Amino acid sequence: MRKIAMLGSGFIGRFYAESIHGQRGRDRVVAIYARREESAKKFANDYGCSIWGTDMEAVIANPEVDMVCIALPNNIHEAAVMLCAKHKKAVVSTKPLGRNADEALRMMKAVEEAGIFAGYLEDLCYTPKFLKALESVKNGALGRILWAKSRETHPGPHSDWFWDKEQAGGGCMLDLGCHCVEIARNFIGKDVRPVEVMCWAATQVKPIDAEDHAIALVKYENGAIGQFEVSWTFRGGMDLRDEVMGTEGTIWINNFLRTGFEMFTTGKGADYVAEKAESTTGWLFPVGDEVNDLGYNHMFTDMFNAADQGREPAETFYDGYVVNAILDAAYRSAETKQWEPVNLPVWRGREGLTQESTLVDYDEEFYLIKEEVTHDGRHKVILKDKQTGRISERDLT
């Protein structure tokens, strides 16, 4: 049984608590830290916490606590992690790990030097559909991965601090892009170095200093491309979609907005529908099991099992650091309008990868470009002459 101190009583802290008290069942949130006393008391009452307070260090240091879950604004993550390291408490932190790679690297080094368990709570890398897709990719069903795209868009986050660039560290790109970057890293291979980023970002709608819409390409050392699309300006709910393309196949995933559950209501009996839903009337798209479908159950099960077994979880502080480094490059690119390098002074993956050859031999004279059956029943191939480079086609039947 894990006895957890939740740091943060807001939207994500409550999502986390419901998941923790759900799938494994035996784990409990026993303590809550909140910045306001009334928030701490309410959370403690709602989730049965025997310990509550507004002194973060006192809650972390309480001897009843053996793991700390950080569900705080981005600008407080580092201070919380440093206290966990000081008091030798296992820690799991919400995304993004830091506001930038420098913060993330300090946090990673602190937990490693303290010798404590640390996990990165990247829930969208634990959704049931993602886990199934990743298994297929790792088993080779798609061949060599060429391109991985992830999209997360919605009308904007719930709490005020997200909209403050200083507290949050950025806008939708840091808030949502961290998910998308890590999804693509998993599909391409987390041991493949991200090399450079090209990004467009702008503030199109919201009266804020940070960006509310961004699109980026991430180039990897093996030639693969990651792509993300993120927005706080999308209307119609929360759209979570992933696409993966390989030499032997393709996967499309719709995680949230249109998943086969559709409902019409006049609104007289409706209340909460799903996260980021914009309406409670008309045609709606509820989610069957929101906590599970968003990956929280599988995420905490992996975190707690990893801590119990003395192994690393699927998502670590190192992963959070790499994600922050990629997003740092994206922010630089959005300013310079150029490809910007990903700065990773600590890299633990493979070195010196090159793009694999795309040439497929047809015979000694030709490369194969494509083989197909046409609408009129012909079986043909399109070939490239190895010596002259001339392109030709040949009927096989």
Side-chain angles (χ1 to χ4, degrees), residues 52-71:
W52 62 269
T54 57
D55 182 329
M56 183 161 60
E57 183 167 9
V59 171
I60 291 171
N62 192 292
E64 287 296 307
V65 170
D66 61 28
M67 179 177 279
V68 175
C69 181
I70 298 173

Side-chain angles (χ1 to χ4, degrees), residues 369-382:
I369 294 177
K370 186 181 181 185
E371 183 173 358
E372 64 180 349
V373 176
T374 65
H375 70 285
D376 57 355
R378 289 186 301 140
H379 185 190
K380 73 174 188 179
V381 290
I382 300 176

Side-chain angles (χ1 to χ4, degrees), residues 82-343:
M82 295 307 172
L83 288 174
C84 292
K86 174 182 176 181
H87 294 282
K88 304 291 185 182
K89 295 295 178 78
V91 58
V92 292
S93 177
T94 192
K95 60 78 197 173
L97 184 57
R99 289 177 293 180
N100 52 58
D102 289 340
E103 284 188 358
L105 184 58
R106 289 195 295 268
M107 286 184 263
M108 183 187 82
K109 288 181 175 180
V111 297
E112 291 180 351
E113 290 170 3
I116 58 175
F117 175 87
Y120 178 50
L121 298 180
E122 180 41 81
D123 58 285
L124 294 188
C125 289
Y126 288 96
T127 69
K129 291 177 184 177
F130 172 85
L131 293 174
K132 184 66 174 179
L134 184 61
E135 180 183 13
S136 296
V137 167
K138 288 185 174 180
N139 288 338
L142 270 59
R144 178 164 54 91
I145 301 304
L146 306 173
W147 173 64
K149 172 185 174 183
S150 185
R151 167 186 170 92
E152 180 172 3
T153 62
H154 58 60
H158 304 285
S159 299
D160 55 1
W161 66 265
F162 281 96
W163 305 91
D164 183 318
K165 189 175 181 179
E166 175 59 29
Q167 290 186 74
C172 66
M173 190 150 60
L174 192 60
D175 178 34
L176 309 180
C178 58
H179 289 304
C180 300
V181 165
E182 188 64 354
I183 287 167
R185 283 188 69 229
N186 271 274
F187 285 130
I188 291 168
K190 291 202 288 187
D191 59 347
V192 181
R193 182 192 284 269
V195 178
E196 55 184 351
V197 182
M198 171 64 79
C199 178
W200 167 88
T203 310
Q204 292 189 310
V205 176
K206 308 295 185 181
I208 57 174
D209 294 329
E211 76 289 347
D212 60 16
H213 195 175
I215 303 170
L217 297 175
V218 183
K219 188 184 297 182
Y220 287 80
E221 194 174 42
N222 67 349
I225 288 288
Q227 179 181 343
F228 68 75
E229 303 174 10
V230 294
S231 180
W232 283 346
T233 67
F234 176 78
R235 304 309 302 267
M238 182 159 67
D239 187 13
L240 302 176
R241 282 182 280 164
D242 306 325
E243 299 179 36
V244 194
M245 182 181 75
T247 55
E248 305 299 328
T250 302
I251 290 175
W252 294 344
I253 304 172
N254 190 331
N255 276 307
F256 208 76
L257 188 61
R258 300 298 295 271
T259 59
F261 186 170
E262 302 183 16
M263 176 181 72
F264 178 86
T265 175
T266 62
K268 292 182 179 178
D271 189 8
Y272 181 84
V273 176
E275 183 180 350
K276 308 297 191 304
E278 290 203 89
S279 175
T280 56
T281 63
W283 281 105
L284 307 175
F285 309 102
V287 180
D289 184 346
E290 193 166 351
V291 169
N292 191 65
D293 289 348
L294 285 172
Y296 295 113
N297 288 345
H298 293 85
M299 176 179 71
F300 280 112
T301 297
D302 177 49
M303 293 293 160
F304 298 153
N305 285 343
D308 291 349
Q309 297 161 12
R311 62 169 174 85
E312 285 192 337
E315 295 292 327
T316 67
F317 271 29
Y318 174 73
D319 293 313
Y321 155 66
V322 174
V323 168
N324 270 126
I326 291 171
L327 291 173
D328 283 357
Y331 277 108
R332 291 196 303 273
S333 176
E335 292 292 328
T336 66
K337 314 300 183 187
Q338 298 176 346
W339 286 95
E340 289 289 339
V342 178
N343 298 324

